[in-house]
Amino acid sequence: MLTNNTRITVFCSKKQGRETFWFATVLDGVNYHGRDQIIVADKNVSASDEYVIRIPDSVLQTTHYVDPSTYKSLPLDESDNCYSLKKGDYVVKGLVDLDVITIKDILDAGGQQITQVTDNLSASAFSKHIKLVVK
C-alpha cells in the first residue's frame, strides 16, 4: 500500500534565450521514498542515494500540470501559472519559498535533480501516476 502524504516543491525550468528561469510549484499528497544504490566500477564501489516519487493522477488533476511539450511552447509570462515534470528539473521534499531562484538556491534548500520521468497515466484509474527518480 502506498501512502501519499508527503509535500514536495517542484522547480520547473523555462529557457528564454540564454537565461533559465525557475518556477516553483508545491504538490501535496505524493509518495516519496528512498532507494539505496551501489555502483561498482573497475576497482571502486560507491553508494548513490536515489529517491522515487510517485505523483498520483488526483494530484495532477487538482494542480496546473501540463505535459512537457505544451509547457515548452508556452510564453514565459504564462509559465508561472502551471508546471511540468521533466528530466533536469529539481524537487525538494517539503515546502520551499524562495524569492530569487537560482540552481544554487535550489541545491541549498536540499534540491535533488530529476533523472527519470515515467508517465503511467494510461494505467488503471486506481494506479494512474507519474513516477520521478531523483538524485
Side-chain angles (χ1 to χ4, degrees), residues 54-119:
R54 286 186 173 83
I55 304 169
D57 184 48
S58 59
V59 172
L60 298 171
Q61 288 182 8
T62 59
T63 56
H64 298 271
Y65 173 76
V66 295
D67 63 90
S69 60
T70 302
Y71 187 80
K72 187 175 182 179
S73 66
L74 289 173
L76 184 64
D77 60 340
E78 292 180 27
S79 299
D80 63 344
N81 298 327
C82 57
Y83 70 100
S84 187
L85 300 166
K86 62 188 181 303
K87 187 176 177 178
D89 287 345
Y90 288 85
V91 172
V92 177
K93 187 175 182 180
L95 175 65
V96 178
D97 187 20
L98 297 174
D99 292 332
V100 178
I101 300 175
T102 65
I103 290 182
K104 183 182 179 329
D105 295 332
I106 296 168
L107 293 174
D108 288 348
Q112 298 168 309
Q113 190 172 39
I114 298 173
T115 59
Q116 181 182 347
V117 179
T118 306
D119 182 333

